[in-house]
Amino acid sequence: IPLAALIKPDDADKFIYYYASQREYNFEITANAAHSTLRVFFSTIKLFIIEFTPLGFFVLLYGIFDSWKKDKKICITLSVITLSNIFLIINYRGAEQDIPSLLHYLFPSYIAMSIWIGLGLHSIYIFLKARLRHPLLPSLALIVLPLICLITHYHQSDRSKNFILFDYANNILDTLPPYSILFTAGNSLSGPLQYFQIKSGNQDTLILIDRELLSRDPYCQYLLNRFPNITPRNILSIPPEARFFHYLDANISKQPIFATFSIPEQYENTPHGLVYRILPKGASLEFEKVKEANDALWQHYTQRGLLDARVFKDHMLKEIVDAYGRSKSNLGLYYSSRDRVEEAIEEYETSLKYNPDNFASLFNLGQLYMQNNKPEKGRALLAKATEIDPDFFLRQDSSAEAHQTSNDTIL
């Protein structure tokens, strides 16, 4: 739910202040090494070539050349916009690992480049019109570029059979007990849940709370007004970093609490399908009941197109697919900790179907294979885990379970 929708219009100045003053929302710039800078720069250019297609990128370059000859001010203005935008991307923390996830930050560059392509197409049209006798031929030639882009990117834009977000949200919302609290975190996973909850109209039977937004005073004020029975009255006076645990402690003994991420060791995190059931430390559910509940949940879940390569998945949808894999890995860890080796192996193997590079599943499954007379399989999985995280085995304070927990913060 956007912060702007949670406050009154006359509080807009406060909203802007809180929005701008929180470090989590700031665009952080870091000083990357020269080799990283070049790598990100060329990755960004490669992304533009893929998005506009090679022919479109050629027209773009022609448009730059033509605009420089005809109007240097326009060319310089568009160049400053594009290069400044690319500079921000180059220095953005994490850009080296995941350029496609930053597409929305490249919007100014897309606008500038689209103008250049338009200028290039206009020049090509004038050129062809002067040399081709038939008046329709230049116009037909101009249709080629949009058609190529349409054909090239149709697979990405066709969402007619893409139900991944819909199924993910409904799989969670439809399987939690009434009057539960569900803590969420991360835009890719929180957004679908919030949207579909509003659309389904079950806002009163399931309470969604965004962990990250609890650090925002306007959001806490909204919770005080919307859910006065569960929101601590002194929530605004509590330091932002402590509000989540204060909220959790105030309700953990009153009603069922679930989370899309794991919570530190002072609580019990019991797998419940795609989420965790959060219990006080020392409390536990009977193993057979947990297994029966998880078996029923995964049989109930709808997973249309989740593992279908024909269904295009951008970086956000890949996070959803990874969420299924992490949930299976968490279940495998739960079974393994209770010496249910066969069940653990089955869950880890299923996890790797969703994400073959899930470190925790590779490491833990490799260990189980080594311990159960399957050394060849075990060594292969451990070798792949080493490729994914070469430093893991050098960190003596780490464990597979700790790595699992650190990866679950966006689940």
Side-chain angles (χ1 to χ4, degrees), residues 253-364:
S253 60
K254 296 179 181 179
Q255 53 200 112
I257 293 182
F258 300 86
T260 59
F261 51 89
S262 61
I263 299 176
E265 295 179 355
Q266 61 262 38
Y267 302 94
E268 297 290 341
N269 299 270
T270 303
H272 184 86
L274 287 167
V275 298
Y276 287 101
R277 174 72 188 272
I278 309 301
L279 299 168
K281 188 65 177 179
S284 62
L285 300 174
E286 186 180 336
F287 173 81
E288 292 301 331
K289 290 184 177 180
V290 173
K291 185 178 185 306
E292 182 181 348
N294 277 279
D295 289 344
L297 286 169
W298 284 98
Q299 289 178 5
H300 174 79
Y301 286 162
T302 303
Q303 303 180 45
R304 290 173 291 181
L306 204 64
L307 300 178
D308 190 346
R310 295 171 297 179
V311 177
F312 176 74
K313 302 171 184 69
D314 58 20
H315 75 281
M316 295 185 73
L317 289 182
K318 287 178 180 178
E319 286 189 30
I320 300 292
V321 177
D322 289 347
Y324 284 85
R326 283 193 298 272
S327 296
K328 280 292 187 180
S329 184
N330 296 336
L331 193 56
L333 189 64
Y334 176 81
Y335 290 155
S336 178
S337 66
R338 285 153 179 80
D339 297 323
R340 302 296 289 261
V341 176
E342 292 184 5
E343 289 93 336
I345 288 176
E346 181 180 354
E347 299 302 334
Y348 285 134
E349 289 176 342
T350 304
S351 170
L352 293 175
K353 293 179 182 179
Y354 294 104
N355 180 7
D357 295 329
N358 185 306
F359 177 89
S361 294
L362 290 169
F363 181 86
N364 291 334

Side-chain angles (χ1 to χ4, degrees), residues 384-395:
K384 186 174 181 180
T386 305
E387 292 177 3
I388 294 172
D389 189 354
D391 297 330
F392 176 79
F393 298 96
L394 301 178
R395 298 193 295 267

